[in-house]
Every structure is written in structure tokens, then in C-alpha cells.
Amino acid sequence: MTVARSKPILTAGKYAALLAYLTFALFPLYWLLKIAITPDQLIFSEGTTLWPSSLTLDNFRTVLFQTDFLYYFGNSLYVSLGTAAATTLIAAGAGYAFSRFDFGGKKIIIAIMLITQMFPLLMIIAPIYKMVASLGLLNSLTSLIVVYTAFNIPFATFLMQSFFDGIPKDLEEAAMMDGCSRFQALRKVIFPLTLPGLGATLGFVFTAAWSELLFALMLISKNEAMTFPVGLLTFVSKFSVDWGQMMAAGVLALIPSCLFFIFIQRYLVQGLTSGAVKG
Amino acid sequence: MARIELKDVVKCYGTVEVLRDINLDIKDGEFIVLVGPSGCGKSTLLRMIAGLEPISQGDFLIGGERMNDVRPRDRDIAMVFQSYALYPHMDVARNMGFSMEIRKDPANERMSRVKQAADTLGLTALTERLPKALSGGQRQRVAMGRAIIRDPRAFLFDEPLSNLDASLRVEMRLEIARLHQKLGATMIYVTHDQVEALTLADRIVVLNGGDIQQVGSPLELYERPANKFVAQFIGSPTMNVVSVTGGKNKVTTADGVAIALPHLKGTERAVEMGIRPEHIDVVDVNAGHLIGIADVVEHLGSDTNIYVDVEGLGPILVRKHGNIPAKTGDRLGLRIQSENAHAFAADGVALRQTNTNEA
């Protein structure tokens, strides 16, 4: 039968396409790792060979013990977790309100939130800098949390709203008939069902904050308040770039993101589908 | 257990009135069915009683107490939702005991009540399962268990059987009837299925377009519908309605056949006559009121449905008990059991019957 015969070909084709995509997407990561473990003297001499002739962990050692990298790392973790927590909390509240209540100005608020997403960030960097400066928050991690939270709230709110929309209204009505106040219904019935959505939002915001460079570069100039993307630039000096250490730092920076995603992965997969299909 | 009263209740969305002047007095322990086509406002009315939808105007009383502004949780009413609305993250036992958990009733009392309800509904073996591991009928039972466990003042059902397949629907219908007998509680039940309405109700409330059309026992609605809408809504298959000209104690069909209707008052005002399919006899061609050709014959075993094409009047459905040996193309005479006929005035209101004591 033609169907039976064409199937393996189709499957093979699918895997080939996936493989091509994965190679394309993961190659930079591979290169990052490869350079990180290549001894300094081989980086230029061996050029573009796929695997260096000798390996070293010296770059990691230098990065961890002789630079301020751990410091930057801690700052980034603090900023990203702070942003993710604050954004998710606010977005969950706003998303619930958009999903369940009709109130005056709802459409306008949604429109304004959309508009804020339309400006190129470069355009508003100067005013943001002035505002933060006049608040005396330059060179503080708090300023980054505030700015990142403000920028991530609209998208996170829409994300949370769609998760709440996916939970039938009947459920909280049933809970209210069963004797819950609206808040109790939210806490006992809706909240447990929104965990996937919260996980997805947390992950999204965490990653966005973790890799943000532009604002961190503008608002932070002191070494002790630098986040890791800004810190990476310290490996670039006037006359040379310390590729090996920079890449080693990059590899280390991937770890928290990976851990975070492994941790929330279960919720994320559920979450992204549960918004689409009811039940 | 309680009496429930609705006095001049109105529901508006903005300027649109979706329910008008609803007056209903539901006795303690009565089984009331709200029935009507989709969009007639029956579910909205139920949700207003539940407290999930605010009442725009009028008074709503439970046991003589005004409840308009009382929160759902304080009305002491249980509701079974069309979608069942089981909490997906709780097992069957916790789903059923949730209201007691919220009320902070002692755990051992809760356990014993859950067990009792599970036994009643045949769910004993399933109490540790999550809703997703249950069949439709089992979910329906859990939803009912959640309601009965509370021993509320009234039960509300919002089309509880419409997601079940036909045989299960019949089974669950029986179970609800049994439940009502056993508990003797006030129950208000919304459905668009008139068979459910006729089989379950003490009294049926027929709604259409936001107005109550008629309130009465199933037989009253069947025998003395207040208007053409109720006449055609209640009874299956649907009542035949043909245009007629009114006259003294009779009506005349378009092809000139006079039918005497001495049991109706004011036949002069009649513009339409209604006759249920089961109230037409098949007779010899010239012995009846009408003559027609059998268009489709459905043999249901217990009954036979014959769609007869009557010239000048259009299709008339005849339903006879047992097996009638008619086939498509047969010329048939139809005799209308005129004592069972209804007549409607131009505004659709049914002409009153002379032998009833209605005021």
C-alpha cells in the first residue's frame, strides 16, 4: 500500500528536518562549550576545527576564582528571581481580573498595555535613565527589578489571562455554591489549577530578565552591581578579548536557566497546552 | 427544605430585558422544572436563584426571607452544573466533601457523610479516583453527591443530563426522581428536553423569550396549553396546527371542512386549530374529516407515525398505537377527535375549554 510505504519516508523526513533545525539551533551552544574548554594558545592556531587537540578547564578555574564572575552571577540571580516573582504575582492578579470581571476601562487598560509593547526599547532608554537617576536608584539592583517588572507585566498578564480563561467559570461558581468566598474559591480551586500557567510565566520572565543587557548596561556602571551579561563585557579589554574565559562564563551562565527550566518543565508543557484545550 | 418565592423578578443586561415579571411560588418539597428553547432565560433564572447572577428588580425569597443580596455561599442551596464542574485536582471523596471541608465540619463526620453519599450513588469503589478517571455517568453522580451531602434547603439542576448518552440519561433521570422521593427536598431543574420535564416535574414552568408562558402540572400543560407556544412545545411529536376560519361552535378548514368544537368558548375568534398526532384516527377515505396521501410512514414498533400530505392544509402527522399497515402513497381518511382539539386566537392564546373551572 502506498500509505504504508510513504509513512517511513515521511517520518524520516520529519526527523531530518528536526535534526537540521536542532543542529542550527544548538551549534552556537556547542561552539561556546568548545571554546570554553580549548586551551588559550590553541584558540587561534587550531582555528575552526570541530574539536581541539587538547582540553583544559583552566578557563573555568580562572573565571570562578580570579574574576568577579560569581558576584555578577549572584546579582543576576537576585534580579531575575526578583523580577520573575514580582511580575508573576502582579500578572496573575491582573490576568484574573481581566479574565473574570467586567469593569469600566478594561478595554482601555488592555489597549494601553498593548501600546507599551510597541515602542522600541532604545527610544525610551533616555527617559528611563532620567527617571531612575532622579529617584537615586542608579547602580542599584532594585532599579533593574522595577524596570524589568514594568516591561514584562503586559505580556505576562496576557499569558496569565489566557490560562485563567482556560479554567471553566463553572468551577469557581461551584466552589462558591459549596460555601467558598470568591477568594477561597480562588485559593482552593483556581490557584492549584493555574500552577502550570504560573510556571510558564515564571520561566518566561526569569529568562527574559536573566539575559537582558541593554538596561543593565545603561543603569549599572559600578562593578559590584553588575549583572552577568554586563559582566561578560569585562572580558573585552581595549586590546584583546579573552575568548576562553568569556565562553567559560557563558557556559556557567547557562546553568541556572537550564536548572530553572528542568524544574518548571513539567508545568510548562502542561501549561502551554492546557490554555488551548479545555478539560 | 424551604419555600421559594419570586415576585415580579426582572433581569436586565444593560437595557435589554432578558426576563420579565417572573412570579413563581415554589412550595416546600416541590419539584419544579423550568423548560423552554435555548435563549429563553431559564438558565439565567436558575443562576439568579443560586446567587450567581444579580437580580435586577423584584424580590426573591427563600423561606420567607429576602435573599436578593445574599451571597451564594449563604443561601444554603446546592447546584448541579451542566458541565458537572468537578474540581479536577481533588479525588471523588474530596470533591463530595468539599462543602463540609469549607464549613470546617469535623473530619470524621465528613468521612461518614461522604461514605453514605457514595454508597447511595454507587460510587463506593471510586472515592479515591480523580474526576478525569471517571466516565460521564460517574462524574454526573459525583456532582449529585456533592449536592446531596450538604443537605441544603433546595437543589438546583442546570441541564444535568444533557452531556450523557441516551440510555444513561434515562437511567440518571430515574435516579433523580428517586432522589427527590427520598429526600423530599425542593428541587428546581432546568432542561430543554420536554420528556425530562414531563417525567420529573410536579409543576412545569414554560419559558419563552423571557416570559413565563404557563405554569402547571405536566398533564395540565398537555391537556390545556395556555397558548400555541406551549401547545407545540409540550408533547412529542409536536402538535399539528392548521389555519382555520372561526364560526359558532365550529371551525372551518381551508378546504371547507367544518369541525365542531362545542367544548371550546369563543370559537368565532379562532384562526388556528391544533390537534395532537395521537388524537387523529385513520379511517376509510370518505369516513373522516380530511383526505390525504401517506408521505412517510415510520414504524416504531409500539407506535406508527404517518406523515400525511393533506391537500390544501399541508403535512399532518398522525400517531397511532401499535402497528398500522399503512405504506407510502396510500390514500387515507383522517378523523379528528374534535373533543381533543385546541383552537387559538390571532394572538396565539388558546381558547378556553368550557368544562374547566378556571377563573
PDB file of all heavy atoms in Angstrom, chain A residues 2-3 6-7 20 23 34 39 41 47 52 66 90 119 125 144 146 152 158 166 168 175 183 207 262 266 272:
ATOM      1  N   THR A   2       0.413   2.231  -0.719  1.00  0.00           N
ATOM      2  CA  THR A   2       1.211   3.454  -0.822  1.00  0.00           C
ATOM      3  C   THR A   2       1.315   4.174   0.518  1.00  0.00           C
ATOM      4  O   THR A   2       2.346   4.720   0.847  1.00  0.00           O
ATOM      5  CB  THR A   2       0.597   4.417  -1.856  1.00  0.00           C
ATOM      6  OG1 THR A   2      -0.797   4.397  -1.686  1.00  0.00           O
ATOM      7  CG2 THR A   2       0.988   4.031  -3.262  1.00  0.00           C
ATOM      8  N   VAL A   3       0.198   4.104   1.256  1.00  0.00           N
ATOM      9  CA  VAL A   3       0.195   4.832   2.532  1.00  0.00           C
ATOM     10  C   VAL A   3       1.265   4.259   3.455  1.00  0.00           C
ATOM     11  O   VAL A   3       2.063   4.975   4.026  1.00  0.00           O
ATOM     12  CB  VAL A   3      -1.189   4.736   3.198  1.00  0.00           C
ATOM     13  CG1 VAL A   3      -1.174   5.497   4.504  1.00  0.00           C
ATOM     14  CG2 VAL A   3      -2.247   5.279   2.260  1.00  0.00           C
ATOM     15  N   SER A   6       4.770   5.121   2.170  1.00  0.00           N
ATOM     16  CA  SER A   6       5.185   6.519   2.255  1.00  0.00           C
ATOM     17  C   SER A   6       5.414   6.946   3.694  1.00  0.00           C
ATOM     18  O   SER A   6       6.083   7.921   3.961  1.00  0.00           O
ATOM     19  CB  SER A   6       4.150   7.418   1.605  1.00  0.00           C
ATOM     20  OG  SER A   6       2.993   7.446   2.406  1.00  0.00           O
ATOM     21  N   LYS A   7       4.854   6.198   4.628  1.00  0.00           N
ATOM     22  CA  LYS A   7       4.950   6.614   6.029  1.00  0.00           C
ATOM     23  C   LYS A   7       6.378   6.678   6.568  1.00  0.00           C
ATOM     24  O   LYS A   7       6.755   7.705   7.127  1.00  0.00           O
ATOM     25  CB  LYS A   7       4.086   5.703   6.898  1.00  0.00           C
ATOM     26  CG  LYS A   7       2.976   6.476   7.571  1.00  0.00           C
ATOM     27  CD  LYS A   7       2.213   5.584   8.491  1.00  0.00           C
ATOM     28  CE  LYS A   7       1.133   6.361   9.213  1.00  0.00           C
ATOM     29  NZ  LYS A   7       0.228   5.468   9.890  1.00  0.00           N
ATOM     30  N   ALA A  20      18.051  18.997  11.334  1.00  0.00           N
ATOM     31  CA  ALA A  20      18.616  20.192  10.719  1.00  0.00           C
ATOM     32  C   ALA A  20      18.378  21.403  11.615  1.00  0.00           C
ATOM     33  O   ALA A  20      19.284  22.197  11.880  1.00  0.00           O
ATOM     34  CB  ALA A  20      17.989  20.415   9.343  1.00  0.00           C
ATOM     35  N   THR A  23      20.537  21.167  14.795  1.00  0.00           N
ATOM     36  CA  THR A  23      21.934  21.480  14.519  1.00  0.00           C
ATOM     37  C   THR A  23      22.117  22.988  14.441  1.00  0.00           C
ATOM     38  O   THR A  23      23.030  23.564  15.030  1.00  0.00           O
ATOM     39  CB  THR A  23      22.344  20.849  13.164  1.00  0.00           C
ATOM     40  OG1 THR A  23      21.893  19.516  13.145  1.00  0.00           O
ATOM     41  CG2 THR A  23      23.841  20.911  12.975  1.00  0.00           C
ATOM     42  N   LYS A  34      32.929  24.462  23.249  1.00  0.00           N
ATOM     43  CA  LYS A  34      34.210  24.047  22.653  1.00  0.00           C
ATOM     44  C   LYS A  34      35.291  25.075  22.965  1.00  0.00           C
ATOM     45  O   LYS A  34      36.385  24.717  23.391  1.00  0.00           O
ATOM     46  CB  LYS A  34      34.038  23.906  21.135  1.00  0.00           C
ATOM     47  CG  LYS A  34      35.261  23.357  20.445  1.00  0.00           C
ATOM     48  CD  LYS A  34      35.455  23.960  19.084  1.00  0.00           C
ATOM     49  CE  LYS A  34      36.930  24.295  18.899  1.00  0.00           C
ATOM     50  NZ  LYS A  34      37.207  24.935  17.630  1.00  0.00           N
ATOM     51  N   PRO A  39      42.414  25.187  25.276  1.00  0.00           N
ATOM     52  CA  PRO A  39      43.494  25.978  25.890  1.00  0.00           C
ATOM     53  C   PRO A  39      43.726  27.253  25.083  1.00  0.00           C
ATOM     54  O   PRO A  39      43.605  27.242  23.854  1.00  0.00           O
ATOM     55  CB  PRO A  39      44.715  25.048  25.788  1.00  0.00           C
ATOM     56  CG  PRO A  39      44.146  23.687  25.602  1.00  0.00           C
ATOM     57  CD  PRO A  39      42.854  23.840  24.908  1.00  0.00           C
ATOM     58  N   GLN A  41      46.242  28.921  24.021  1.00  0.00           N
ATOM     59  CA  GLN A  41      47.199  29.001  22.918  1.00  0.00           C
ATOM     60  C   GLN A  41      46.689  28.312  21.655  1.00  0.00           C
ATOM     61  O   GLN A  41      47.208  28.513  20.579  1.00  0.00           O
ATOM     62  CB  GLN A  41      48.572  28.432  23.326  1.00  0.00           C
ATOM     63  CG  GLN A  41      48.590  26.968  23.691  1.00  0.00           C
ATOM     64  CD  GLN A  41      48.226  26.741  25.171  1.00  0.00           C
ATOM     65  OE1 GLN A  41      47.648  27.616  25.807  1.00  0.00           O
ATOM     66  NE2 GLN A  41      48.568  25.586  25.701  1.00  0.00           N
ATOM     67  N   GLY A  47      42.094  27.279  14.910  1.00  0.00           N
ATOM     68  CA  GLY A  47      41.031  27.899  14.124  1.00  0.00           C
ATOM     69  C   GLY A  47      39.698  27.195  14.245  1.00  0.00           C
ATOM     70  O   GLY A  47      39.152  27.067  15.341  1.00  0.00           O
ATOM     71  N   PRO A  52      39.110  20.513  19.664  1.00  0.00           N
ATOM     72  CA  PRO A  52      40.513  20.895  19.886  1.00  0.00           C
ATOM     73  C   PRO A  52      41.375  19.674  20.192  1.00  0.00           C
ATOM     74  O   PRO A  52      40.873  18.655  20.678  1.00  0.00           O
ATOM     75  CB  PRO A  52      40.450  21.832  21.087  1.00  0.00           C
ATOM     76  CG  PRO A  52      39.184  21.458  21.789  1.00  0.00           C
ATOM     77  CD  PRO A  52      38.246  21.008  20.745  1.00  0.00           C
ATOM     78  N   GLN A  66      39.306  33.901  39.873  1.00  0.00           N
ATOM     79  CA  GLN A  66      40.134  35.092  39.711  1.00  0.00           C
ATOM     80  C   GLN A  66      39.390  36.290  39.149  1.00  0.00           C
ATOM     81  O   GLN A  66      39.967  37.355  38.941  1.00  0.00           O
ATOM     82  CB  GLN A  66      41.339  34.768  38.822  1.00  0.00           C
ATOM     83  CG  GLN A  66      42.380  33.966  39.585  1.00  0.00           C
ATOM     84  CD  GLN A  66      43.349  33.279  38.667  1.00  0.00           C
ATOM     85  OE1 GLN A  66      43.701  33.817  37.628  1.00  0.00           O
ATOM     86  NE2 GLN A  66      43.769  32.092  39.062  1.00  0.00           N
ATOM     87  N   ILE A  90       1.960  40.077  40.092  1.00  0.00           N
ATOM     88  CA  ILE A  90       1.104  41.151  39.574  1.00  0.00           C
ATOM     89  C   ILE A  90       0.318  40.670  38.358  1.00  0.00           C
ATOM     90  O   ILE A  90      -0.884  40.908  38.228  1.00  0.00           O
ATOM     91  CB  ILE A  90       1.952  42.382  39.216  1.00  0.00           C
ATOM     92  CG1 ILE A  90       2.637  42.921  40.485  1.00  0.00           C
ATOM     93  CG2 ILE A  90       1.090  43.465  38.578  1.00  0.00           C
ATOM     94  CD1 ILE A  90       3.673  43.978  40.227  1.00  0.00           C
ATOM     95  N   PHE A 119       6.776  50.118  21.514  1.00  0.00           N
ATOM     96  CA  PHE A 119       7.925  51.019  21.366  1.00  0.00           C
ATOM     97  C   PHE A 119       9.223  50.244  21.337  1.00  0.00           C
ATOM     98  O   PHE A 119       9.417  49.322  22.123  1.00  0.00           O
ATOM     99  CB  PHE A 119       7.969  51.997  22.543  1.00  0.00           C
ATOM    100  CG  PHE A 119       6.841  52.959  22.531  1.00  0.00           C
ATOM    101  CD1 PHE A 119       5.755  52.796  23.375  1.00  0.00           C
ATOM    102  CD2 PHE A 119       6.861  54.034  21.651  1.00  0.00           C
ATOM    103  CE1 PHE A 119       4.707  53.688  23.349  1.00  0.00           C
ATOM    104  CE2 PHE A 119       5.816  54.934  21.630  1.00  0.00           C
ATOM    105  CZ  PHE A 119       4.741  54.759  22.475  1.00  0.00           C
ATOM    106  N   ILE A 125      15.019  54.602  26.487  1.00  0.00           N
ATOM    107  CA  ILE A 125      16.122  54.406  27.428  1.00  0.00           C
ATOM    108  C   ILE A 125      16.492  55.707  28.137  1.00  0.00           C
ATOM    109  O   ILE A 125      16.673  55.746  29.357  1.00  0.00           O
ATOM    110  CB  ILE A 125      17.336  53.796  26.695  1.00  0.00           C
ATOM    111  CG1 ILE A 125      17.192  52.284  26.783  1.00  0.00           C
ATOM    112  CG2 ILE A 125      18.644  54.254  27.311  1.00  0.00           C
ATOM    113  CD1 ILE A 125      18.428  51.535  26.492  1.00  0.00           C
ATOM    114  N   LEU A 144      16.751  47.706  38.466  1.00  0.00           N
ATOM    115  CA  LEU A 144      16.584  46.720  37.387  1.00  0.00           C
ATOM    116  C   LEU A 144      15.317  45.906  37.593  1.00  0.00           C
ATOM    117  O   LEU A 144      14.553  45.669  36.659  1.00  0.00           O
ATOM    118  CB  LEU A 144      17.800  45.792  37.333  1.00  0.00           C
ATOM    119  CG  LEU A 144      19.083  46.402  36.776  1.00  0.00           C
ATOM    120  CD1 LEU A 144      20.167  45.344  36.697  1.00  0.00           C
ATOM    121  CD2 LEU A 144      18.833  47.004  35.412  1.00  0.00           C
ATOM    122  N   VAL A 146      12.626  46.781  39.127  1.00  0.00           N
ATOM    123  CA  VAL A 146      11.456  47.620  38.840  1.00  0.00           C
ATOM    124  C   VAL A 146      11.261  47.761  37.338  1.00  0.00           C
ATOM    125  O   VAL A 146      10.152  47.556  36.809  1.00  0.00           O
ATOM    126  CB  VAL A 146      11.619  49.013  39.493  1.00  0.00           C
ATOM    127  CG1 VAL A 146      10.522  49.953  39.017  1.00  0.00           C
ATOM    128  CG2 VAL A 146      11.603  48.890  41.005  1.00  0.00           C
ATOM    129  N   ASN A 152       7.797  43.556  31.635  1.00  0.00           N
ATOM    130  CA  ASN A 152       7.291  42.199  31.409  1.00  0.00           C
ATOM    131  C   ASN A 152       5.825  42.020  31.785  1.00  0.00           C
ATOM    132  O   ASN A 152       5.190  41.057  31.375  1.00  0.00           O
ATOM    133  CB  ASN A 152       8.143  41.192  32.178  1.00  0.00           C
ATOM    134  CG  ASN A 152       9.426  40.889  31.444  1.00  0.00           C
ATOM    135  OD1 ASN A 152       9.400  40.496  30.289  1.00  0.00           O
ATOM    136  ND2 ASN A 152      10.545  41.132  32.092  1.00  0.00           N
ATOM    137  N   PHE A 158      -1.178  38.980  29.785  1.00  0.00           N
ATOM    138  CA  PHE A 158      -1.965  38.318  28.729  1.00  0.00           C
ATOM    139  C   PHE A 158      -1.795  36.810  28.806  1.00  0.00           C
ATOM    140  O   PHE A 158      -2.749  36.054  28.608  1.00  0.00           O
ATOM    141  CB  PHE A 158      -1.555  38.843  27.349  1.00  0.00           C
ATOM    142  CG  PHE A 158      -1.883  40.296  27.161  1.00  0.00           C
ATOM    143  CD1 PHE A 158      -0.975  41.177  26.607  1.00  0.00           C
ATOM    144  CD2 PHE A 158      -3.112  40.795  27.571  1.00  0.00           C
ATOM    145  CE1 PHE A 158      -1.271  42.519  26.459  1.00  0.00           C
ATOM    146  CE2 PHE A 158      -3.420  42.137  27.433  1.00  0.00           C
ATOM    147  CZ  PHE A 158      -2.497  43.006  26.872  1.00  0.00           C
ATOM    148  N   GLY A 166      -8.792  29.538  30.378  1.00  0.00           N
ATOM    149  CA  GLY A 166      -8.892  28.107  30.136  1.00  0.00           C
ATOM    150  C   GLY A 166      -9.527  27.331  31.282  1.00  0.00           C
ATOM    151  O   GLY A 166      -9.860  26.171  31.143  1.00  0.00           O
ATOM    152  N   PRO A 168     -12.688  26.673  33.425  1.00  0.00           N
ATOM    153  CA  PRO A 168     -14.116  26.997  33.312  1.00  0.00           C
ATOM    154  C   PRO A 168     -14.617  27.800  34.520  1.00  0.00           C
ATOM    155  O   PRO A 168     -14.258  27.499  35.654  1.00  0.00           O
ATOM    156  CB  PRO A 168     -14.794  25.623  33.271  1.00  0.00           C
ATOM    157  CG  PRO A 168     -13.724  24.640  33.002  1.00  0.00           C
ATOM    158  CD  PRO A 168     -12.432  25.238  33.413  1.00  0.00           C
ATOM    159  N   ALA A 175     -17.597  26.181  43.494  1.00  0.00           N
ATOM    160  CA  ALA A 175     -16.941  26.363  44.788  1.00  0.00           C
ATOM    161  C   ALA A 175     -17.705  27.378  45.629  1.00  0.00           C
ATOM    162  O   ALA A 175     -17.868  27.206  46.841  1.00  0.00           O
ATOM    163  CB  ALA A 175     -15.495  26.814  44.580  1.00  0.00           C
ATOM    164  N   PHE A 183     -12.539  34.635  47.234  1.00  0.00           N
ATOM    165  CA  PHE A 183     -11.110  34.472  47.478  1.00  0.00           C
ATOM    166  C   PHE A 183     -10.773  33.024  47.816  1.00  0.00           C
ATOM    167  O   PHE A 183      -9.771  32.482  47.343  1.00  0.00           O
ATOM    168  CB  PHE A 183     -10.652  35.423  48.583  1.00  0.00           C
ATOM    169  CG  PHE A 183      -9.164  35.427  48.742  1.00  0.00           C
ATOM    170  CD1 PHE A 183      -8.352  36.024  47.789  1.00  0.00           C
ATOM    171  CD2 PHE A 183      -8.577  34.795  49.823  1.00  0.00           C
ATOM    172  CE1 PHE A 183      -6.984  35.996  47.917  1.00  0.00           C
ATOM    173  CE2 PHE A 183      -7.205  34.770  49.959  1.00  0.00           C
ATOM    174  CZ  PHE A 183      -6.402  35.370  49.005  1.00  0.00           C
ATOM    175  N   THR A 207      13.846  34.062  32.279  1.00  0.00           N
ATOM    176  CA  THR A 207      14.796  34.032  31.172  1.00  0.00           C
ATOM    177  C   THR A 207      14.995  35.419  30.582  1.00  0.00           C
ATOM    178  O   THR A 207      16.110  35.817  30.243  1.00  0.00           O
ATOM    179  CB  THR A 207      14.272  33.117  30.046  1.00  0.00           C
ATOM    180  OG1 THR A 207      13.504  32.108  30.635  1.00  0.00           O
ATOM    181  CG2 THR A 207      15.397  32.527  29.261  1.00  0.00           C
ATOM    182  N   ILE A 262      14.359  22.892  33.803  1.00  0.00           N
ATOM    183  CA  ILE A 262      14.131  21.492  34.168  1.00  0.00           C
ATOM    184  C   ILE A 262      13.112  21.439  35.309  1.00  0.00           C
ATOM    185  O   ILE A 262      12.189  20.631  35.324  1.00  0.00           O
ATOM    186  CB  ILE A 262      15.450  20.813  34.583  1.00  0.00           C
ATOM    187  CG1 ILE A 262      16.326  20.658  33.352  1.00  0.00           C
ATOM    188  CG2 ILE A 262      15.193  19.471  35.248  1.00  0.00           C
ATOM    189  CD1 ILE A 262      17.739  20.225  33.654  1.00  0.00           C
ATOM    190  N   ARG A 266       7.786  20.426  33.685  1.00  0.00           N
ATOM    191  CA  ARG A 266       6.568  19.645  33.820  1.00  0.00           C
ATOM    192  C   ARG A 266       5.333  20.558  33.724  1.00  0.00           C
ATOM    193  O   ARG A 266       4.368  20.267  33.020  1.00  0.00           O
ATOM    194  CB  ARG A 266       6.592  18.942  35.175  1.00  0.00           C
ATOM    195  CG  ARG A 266       5.539  17.905  35.389  1.00  0.00           C
ATOM    196  CD  ARG A 266       5.968  17.041  36.565  1.00  0.00           C
ATOM    197  NE  ARG A 266       6.012  17.809  37.798  1.00  0.00           N
ATOM    198  CZ  ARG A 266       4.993  17.861  38.651  1.00  0.00           C
ATOM    199  NH1 ARG A 266       3.887  17.212  38.395  1.00  0.00           N
ATOM    200  NH2 ARG A 266       5.085  18.567  39.760  1.00  0.00           N
ATOM    201  N   LEU A 272       1.320  25.133  28.516  1.00  0.00           N
ATOM    202  CA  LEU A 272       1.155  25.689  27.185  1.00  0.00           C
ATOM    203  C   LEU A 272       0.034  25.005  26.426  1.00  0.00           C
ATOM    204  O   LEU A 272      -0.555  25.575  25.535  1.00  0.00           O
ATOM    205  CB  LEU A 272       2.470  25.601  26.413  1.00  0.00           C
ATOM    206  CG  LEU A 272       3.565  26.494  26.989  1.00  0.00           C
ATOM    207  CD1 LEU A 272       4.842  26.326  26.213  1.00  0.00           C
ATOM    208  CD2 LEU A 272       3.138  27.959  26.979  1.00  0.00           C
TER     209      LEU A 272
END
